[in-house]
Amino acid sequence: MATPDVFLRGEHDIFSSSFLFDITKGDTKSRGLALEKKIEYLESLNDRVSNRRARRWINDRILLELVPRLTGDEIRGLFTPPPWGHEARPSPFCMTNVGEWDKFRNIDMDKEAGAIEALKGSSSKKKSHVDADKIDALTAWHRVDCKTRDAFRRSFLPELVDGYEENIRAFVSEAGGEEVLVLRVQDPFHRLLLHGVCEFYNLVSTTESETEGTKVLKMTKIKKKKAGNNDLPTITLCRFLKMAKGGFW
């Protein structure tokens, strides 16, 4: 009967076989086939080896063969992060002037709270200002006749409307109470849009006919209301329609 020493010597002979370690010769394909055979051979040894230490050795060898070999750069990359490799780049806080950073770090808590409240107050004021502009634009839009509003939605002509607005906003800003702005617009649909712009700016507009030879021409007279608010909305009608069409309203 074989003694344990004899059995262990037999296992040592198996492990020290050149078949297990000499696979560096040959091309890539032959080395790959040799590696596969080597792994199959190591797996078959588990049924033949009874020593626990030897089994652990076989399992370790299988895992090592399954893991690809690391190159020198890859091995160095494992130890590149600090504190082993290169020094870490200084953070923005480290590059900041020490005196300035200390001022920020050691700010008085009451001053900090006051600064935060001031920022909140400015943002709320700005938001309320924007909301007021939107309300003014909506109020002006609701002054426009329903039929004219449908015309704006159906066929919006931004260049034409913008031209009307330039003339009307200049008239509202510069003209006196009794002055009249006269625009000659012959196209019926364009004239409808002009009346809508006048309603948006809370103005009175009437269209009259005048005869020049055999031609009958249309002229639209625009004037301010005697009792009414003629403050110009911050948001123009053209911008309002673009925002409404883009879904920002």
Side-chain angles (χ1 to χ4, degrees), residues 12-247:
H12 181 269
D13 294 338
I14 292 175
F15 299 149
S16 61
S17 173
S18 61
F19 171 75
L20 291 178
F21 298 100
D22 190 14
I23 61 170
T24 58
K25 299 179 180 180
D27 56 9
T28 304
K29 185 175 181 180
S30 61
R31 287 200 302 270
L33 294 174
L35 181 61
E36 291 182 4
K37 290 181 179 180
K38 180 179 178 181
I39 293 174
E40 291 178 358
Y41 180 72
L42 288 171
E43 290 176 345
S44 66
L45 290 179
N46 274 321
D47 298 331
R48 297 164 52 189
V49 174
S50 59
N51 185 277
R52 184 179 298 177
R53 181 180 177 184
R55 283 174 179 263
R56 284 200 301 268
W57 185 91
I58 292 174
N59 291 332
D60 291 341
R61 294 296 306 176
I62 292 174
L63 291 176
L64 288 173
E65 296 302 332
L66 292 176
V67 176
R69 295 292 190 272
L70 294 179
T71 63
D73 292 337
E74 290 173 338
I75 294 174
R76 281 192 295 271
L78 297 175
F79 301 95
T80 297
W84 299 285
H86 304 294
E87 294 184 0
R89 293 182 179 180
S91 66
F93 290 117
C94 295
M95 293 186 292
T96 305
N97 184 279
V98 178
E100 296 178 356
W101 171 236
D102 286 339
K103 290 179 182 178
F104 173 78
R105 186 177 57 182
N106 299 323
I107 186 172
D108 184 77
M109 295 181 65
D110 294 334
K111 290 183 179 180
E112 180 183 2
I116 294 174
E117 289 297 326
L119 290 174
K120 289 181 179 179
S122 61
S123 61
S124 62
K125 287 180 182 178
K126 185 177 180 180
K127 184 178 179 181
S128 63
H129 179 68
V130 173
D131 292 341
D133 293 341
K134 288 185 177 181
I135 292 172
D136 292 341
L138 283 172
T139 303
W141 174 247
H142 286 298
R143 284 197 295 261
V144 181
D145 183 72
C146 294
K147 180 180 177 182
T148 310
R149 275 187 280 177
D150 292 337
F152 277 119
R153 295 191 188 99
R154 185 173 61 255
S155 181
F156 171 44
L157 306 174
E159 294 182 0
L160 180 69
V161 174
D162 190 57
Y164 289 160
E165 285 196 281
E166 286 183 6
N167 290 310
I168 289 174
R169 290 177 75 92
F171 171 74
V172 173
S173 301
E174 301 171 3
E178 299 298 329
E179 294 186 37
V180 178
L181 174 65
V182 178
L183 298 178
R184 288 175 170 80
V185 180
Q186 305 308 313
D187 185 273
F189 183 73
H190 294 177
R191 201 161 51 245
L192 176 65
L193 298 182
L194 174 59
H195 285 294
V197 175
C198 293
E199 290 171 340
F200 184 84
Y201 288 98
N202 200 26
L203 301 174
V204 178
S205 59
T206 56
T207 299
E208 300 177 359
S209 301
E210 63 177 359
T211 304
E212 289 186 3
T214 58
K215 294 182 180 180
V216 179
L217 302 178
K218 300 289 185 180
M219 64 176 182
T220 303
K221 294 183 177 180
I222 304 167
K223 60 182 180 180
K224 297 179 181 179
K225 291 182 179 180
K226 293 182 179 180
N229 182 16
N230 294 121
D231 293 336
L232 292 173
T234 304
I235 300 175
T236 64
L237 176 59
C238 191
R239 182 185 170 195
F240 173 84
L241 293 172
K242 288 180 180 178
M243 293 172 66
K245 189 175 181 179

